[in-house]
Amino acid sequence: MGQVQSSTRNDSVSKSAAKTDNNNTVTKLYEHQLLKRCEHIHFDVEAWYKILQCQTFYTEFIPISPSIAQAFVNYYQTRYNSKKLLNLNDLELIQSIQYQLKQQIFNSKTNRFQINGSFIRLSSRSPKDGNPLNSQALIQLYHQELNRLQAKYLNECDSIEGKANMELIAYCYAQFHCLKVANEFEALNLILTSERIFIDLLRALDCQQVQNNKDINTNNIKLHDCGTNKKDG
């Protein structure tokens, strides 16, 4: 009987040690990611915009809180990864961003952006892989540009390489122009359907959780030390 209890206790200790090691590994991983991210902070648009605003496009900023980031992640997980995480609160947060986009960026009375569209991005990440709200726009723009190129450079179509080159140029043109948005619905759709942004937000939230846990542990240690000192006194 004693041997069984000892074995059970040892198994419990082993599992606890394994869990601790795993948590430490995850923490170190996210700390490494945070350090790498810190190296690129100076390249984020919000870091250099005030310095170069006279030399670049006019830009407006809308802050994204961790709760809104989580709502974006939950939307992507629900829509593309078959995980039913999206809830009513998430929808309300997403709608709040939609409203901010409308009021701050696409308000016809205060709109300082170009009539032919605006580009949207999250800090250093643009939703290049996001789906345009008009799913046919990419195809239409592609054929439109390809026809223009073929009419302008007739001899380029004679070779396989030349034809492939024009097709690639036309595709890049179409993709670039599909990133231009004219209203809050198009902007939000690019953000919510971008895997690049989803992964960035997922990592950011994980790093935030690790940091929160470290803060909690630090506070617990301080409280423990305080309680010990009082007892000693």
Side-chain angles (χ1 to χ4, degrees):
M1 185 69 177
Q3 290 179 344
V4 173
Q5 289 179 339
S6 177
S7 176
T8 303
R9 191 180 299 111
N10 290 337
D11 290 344
S12 177
V13 171
S14 297
K15 290 180 180 179
S16 177
K19 184 177 181 180
T20 301
D21 289 341
N22 183 57
N23 289 340
N24 289 337
T25 301
V26 172
T27 300
K28 289 179 180 179
L29 172 63
Y30 287 128
E31 286 178 345
H32 176 67
Q33 288 184 355
L34 279 173
L35 287 174
K36 287 186 66 177
R37 182 69 187 87
C38 288
E39 294 175 357
H40 295 85
I41 284 178
H42 298 298
F43 298 95
D44 294 347
V45 62
E46 59 267 30
W48 55 258
Y49 180 71
K50 288 184 178 180
I51 302 172
L52 300 174
Q53 59 181 328
C54 295
Q55 308 297 326
T56 189
F57 299 105
Y58 173 75
T59 303
E60 288 276 359
F61 295 91
I62 296 177
I64 299 293
S65 66
S67 58
I68 291 174
Q70 187 64 62
F72 286 171
V73 166
N74 289 348
Y75 176 91
Y76 192 95
Q77 293 277 37
T78 301
R79 181 173 180 180
Y80 295 106
N81 296 336
S82 301
K83 296 181 179 180
K84 297 181 179 180
L85 300 177
L86 191 68
N87 55 48
L88 183 59
N89 184 59
D90 293 331
L91 291 175
E92 290 175 350
L93 289 171
I94 292 173
Q95 287 174 344
S96 73
I97 290 295
Q98 178 180 307
Y99 179 78
Q100 288 184 67
L101 285 167
K102 179 181 179 180
Q103 293 299 111
Q104 192 170 332
I105 309 297
F106 301 106
N107 190 322
S108 58
K109 295 181 180 179
T110 60
N111 190 356
R112 294 181 59 185
F113 295 90
Q114 297 294 327
I115 298 175
N116 59 352
S118 305
F119 290 100
I120 192 161
R121 62 189 297 122
L122 265 68
S123 194
S124 61
R125 180 70 76 187
S126 61
K128 296 176 182 177
D129 59 333
N131 297 327
L133 195 59
N134 180 3
S135 59
Q136 297 300 312
L138 181 67
I139 298 174
Q140 292 170 356
L141 287 168
Y142 167 76
H143 286 295
Q144 176 184 318
E145 181 63 10
L146 183 60
N147 291 336
R148 188 190 72 81
L149 290 171
Q150 289 175 340
K152 186 175 182 180
Y153 304 102
L154 297 175
N155 296 332
E156 289 292 325
C157 297
D158 296 339
S159 66
I160 296 176
E161 293 82 0
K163 184 179 179 182
N165 186 51
M166 280 199 294
E167 290 174 346
L168 180 60
I169 293 173
Y171 177 78
C172 291
Y173 171 90
Q175 185 187 40
F176 176 77
H177 281 268
C178 280
L179 290 176
K180 294 194 298 183
V181 293
N183 56 58
E184 65 274 16
F185 304 108
E186 293 178 354
L188 199 54
N189 196 73
L190 280 181
I191 293 171
L192 292 174
T193 59
S194 169
E195 184 180 19
R196 289 156 54 89
I197 285 180
F198 162 70
I199 292 174
D200 278 0
L201 292 179
L202 197 61
R203 288 174 177 171
L205 288 168
D206 286 342
C207 289
Q208 180 71 52
Q209 185 61 50
V210 169
Q211 185 60 49
N212 290 343
N213 290 339
K214 288 177 66 176
D215 292 341
I216 291 172
N217 290 336
T218 301
N219 291 334
N220 287 340
I221 291 172
K222 289 180 179 178
L223 289 172
H224 175 73
D225 290 343
C226 181
T228 303
N229 291 335
K230 286 182 178 179
K231 288 181 180 179
D232 292 342

